[in-house]
Amino acid sequence: MNQSIFNHLFARSLAVLMALVLSVSVQASTEHQHEEQHSESNHGHNELHQDEHDHQEGHKDSHGHKDEHDHEDEHGHDEHEEGQVHISAEQMAISGVMTDSAQAGEIKKVLTLYGRTVLPEQNVSHVSARFAGLITKLTVEVGDKVQAGQKIAEIESNASLKRYGITAPISGVVVSRHGNVGEMVSDKTLVSIVDSSQLWGEFQVFHGQKNRVAVGQKLSVNFEQLRTTSTIQYLLNPMGNEAYLRARVPLDNTEGHWTVGALLSGEVTLSKHNVALAIDNRAIQIMEGQQVVFVRNEEGFEKRIVTLGKKDSQKTELLSGLAEGEEYAVEKSFLLKADLEKSSAGHVH
């Protein structure tokens, strides 16, 4: 091979080699640039994703955490206020809410009897004229109070034409009048007088009860808001077709609180049981199936669940829920219950 041909081949080989090297270099540069762009793109995407994640976390912190915190605060407040009735001493006086304190007491086993008030027979007087004649004077009206021995009428006798007076045989109130001046009167009742300052409480005692009732026993007598204690003075045998005995107890009515014919309930104490703590029955209210009492505090009253034991018509043994000396609502305690139920209904959401 001559020198010219050799040179020509060497030049072509060198050109091919250079082209190959340049192609590889360009491809490597292009791939490196593509990788950098892809890396930057991924980095941007990751940053965007991280930003979105951070934003969501921040959103969660600013909303979810706050809501949860607020929710806890709100419920913490509700729990603090649950069962609380706000009422001032002035409002208590206006509404009639009265209190008592938890103390040791006595629970009684009693027998309940029923009856009514009756007039003692000697406290009713029907006044009539001794001799038939003309009424010349009648000085009393229905409703007037009279005293025993007071002159209430004057009659002119038909037989002697002489006038004689009629006096009240007992003290009391005139409840009826059957004549007027100028009228003739014979043996009919002219005036009726009733003395109701003393009454009988007359109670029915049936066959199954009579062995537990005896003369001399104390009996608590109740009529609406009236309450007194008396002693059984008589046990009267049945009259006619009566199926019961009648237990009579005297009632002092000088203040006029008792009315004739009033329906009564009475309790004979059969046994007594001392307890460490007792509360008034009027204090006990039922809320959501639980027995509760409203206990006085600085803001008014708080609802307190109680456990109860033995009871009678007035008091109930307190097993748990109050300490000795704690003040609780008695009179009108149902108003506190109503206020609390109304408040609870208003917070339902």
Side-chain angles (χ1 to χ4, degrees):
M1 181 178 298
N2 56 32
Q3 186 65 36
S4 61
I5 294 173
F6 175 80
N7 290 338
H8 177 74
L9 292 175
F10 177 79
R12 287 188 60 183
S13 298
L14 182 61
V16 171
L17 179 61
M18 291 298 293
L20 180 61
V21 169
L22 180 61
S23 174
V24 170
S25 176
V26 170
Q27 182 178 2
S29 175
T30 301
E31 289 178 354
H32 177 71
Q33 182 179 2
H34 177 72
E35 287 176 357
E36 287 182 345
Q37 290 177 350
H38 181 72
S39 176
E40 289 176 355
S41 175
N42 287 343
H43 180 70
H45 177 73
N46 290 339
E47 287 182 343
L48 177 61
H49 180 72
Q50 181 66 34
D51 289 344
E52 290 178 350
H53 178 72
D54 291 343
H55 176 71
Q56 289 176 355
E57 288 294 324
H59 181 75
K60 181 177 179 181
D61 288 342
S62 63
H63 290 83
H65 181 70
K66 182 177 185 298
D67 288 346
E68 182 180 356
H69 179 70
D70 290 346
H71 184 68
E72 289 175 355
D73 285 349
E74 178 183 351
H75 280 270
H77 179 72
D78 285 346
E79 289 175 358
H80 176 72
E81 293 295 320
E82 183 180 359
Q84 177 68 44
V85 179
H86 297 272
I87 182 172
S88 65
E90 182 180 1
Q91 290 172 325
M92 285 175 59
I94 294 173
S95 61
V97 176
M98 299 180 67
T99 64
D100 199 353
S101 58
Q103 299 176 352
E106 189 177 70
I107 304 300
K108 303 173 183 177
K109 181 179 180 181
V110 301
L111 172 66
T112 302
L113 304 174
Y114 297 95
R116 61 189 180 94
T117 53
V118 299
L119 282 165
E121 290 77 4
Q122 68 273 19
N123 286 15
V124 180
S125 181
H126 303 291
V127 183
S128 58
R130 287 177 293 166
F131 308 104
L134 180 70
I135 300 174
T136 59
K137 187 181 292 185
L138 187 56
T139 62
V140 294
E141 302 287 346
V142 172
D144 287 348
K145 292 182 179 180
V146 297
Q147 298 296 320
Q150 176 183 335
K151 186 176 179 180
I152 59 176
E154 187 179 82
I155 307 295
E156 183 181 278
S157 172
N158 289 340
S160 65
L161 300 181
K162 292 182 179 181
R163 297 183 179 183
Y164 64 91
I166 298 178
T167 60
I170 63 172
S171 298
V173 175
V174 176
V175 296
S176 65
R177 168 176 154 162
H178 305 284
N180 292 298
V181 173
E183 295 179 351
M184 298 298 295
V185 63
S186 56
D187 58 352
K188 71 176 184 179
T189 298
L190 183 61
V191 171
S192 292
I193 301 170
V194 168
D195 176 12
S196 59
S197 62
Q198 298 293 321
L199 300 176
W200 286 117
E202 192 172 85
F203 295 87
Q204 299 175 348
V205 181
F206 291 91
H207 179 75
Q209 301 171 324
K210 65 180 183 180
N211 291 334
R212 293 179 286 173
V213 179
V215 172
Q217 281 180 321
K218 296 292 184 182
L219 188 139
S220 175
V221 183
N222 306 292
F223 169 65
E224 296 180 351
Q225 301 302 317
L226 296 176
R227 180 175 298 169
T228 191
T229 301
S230 190
T231 303
I232 298 176
Q233 288 194 0
Y234 300 101
L235 272 175
L236 306 178
N237 289 321
M239 296 178 60
N241 295 324
E242 291 178 347
Y244 50 83
L245 285 75
R246 287 172 291 147
R248 277 190 168 186
V249 301
L251 297 175
D252 182 7
N253 195 37
T254 52
E255 298 296 327
H257 296 313
W258 304 88
T259 57
V260 178
L263 298 179
L264 308 174
S265 64
E267 294 177 346
V268 177
T269 300
L270 303 178
S271 64
K272 299 178 181 180
H273 181 73
N274 293 323
V275 296
L277 287 178
I279 57 174
D280 194 298
N281 290 342
R282 293 173 295 173
I284 303 168
Q285 301 295 332
I286 304 298
M287 296 188 70
E288 299 178 347
Q290 296 177 316
Q291 295 173 313
V292 302
V293 170
F294 288 90
V295 182
R296 186 84 182 270
N297 59 23
E298 293 181 356
E299 298 181 359
F301 291 88
E302 65 173 281
K303 181 185 74 173
R304 192 84 62 80
I305 298 173
V306 293
T307 304
L308 305 175
K310 302 178 180 67
K311 67 179 298 182
D312 58 28
S313 63
Q314 299 179 36
K315 293 184 177 294
T316 297
E317 179 184 12
L318 183 66
L319 300 178
S320 68
L322 275 77
E324 184 176 4
E326 280 197 287
E327 189 177 357
Y328 62 94
V330 178
E331 190 74 27
K332 302 292 182 66
S333 64
F334 62 87
L335 295 178
L336 303 177
K337 171 187 174 181
D339 185 80
L340 189 59
E341 289 177 335
K342 180 180 178 181
S343 176
S344 299
H347 284 83
V348 174
H349 58 280

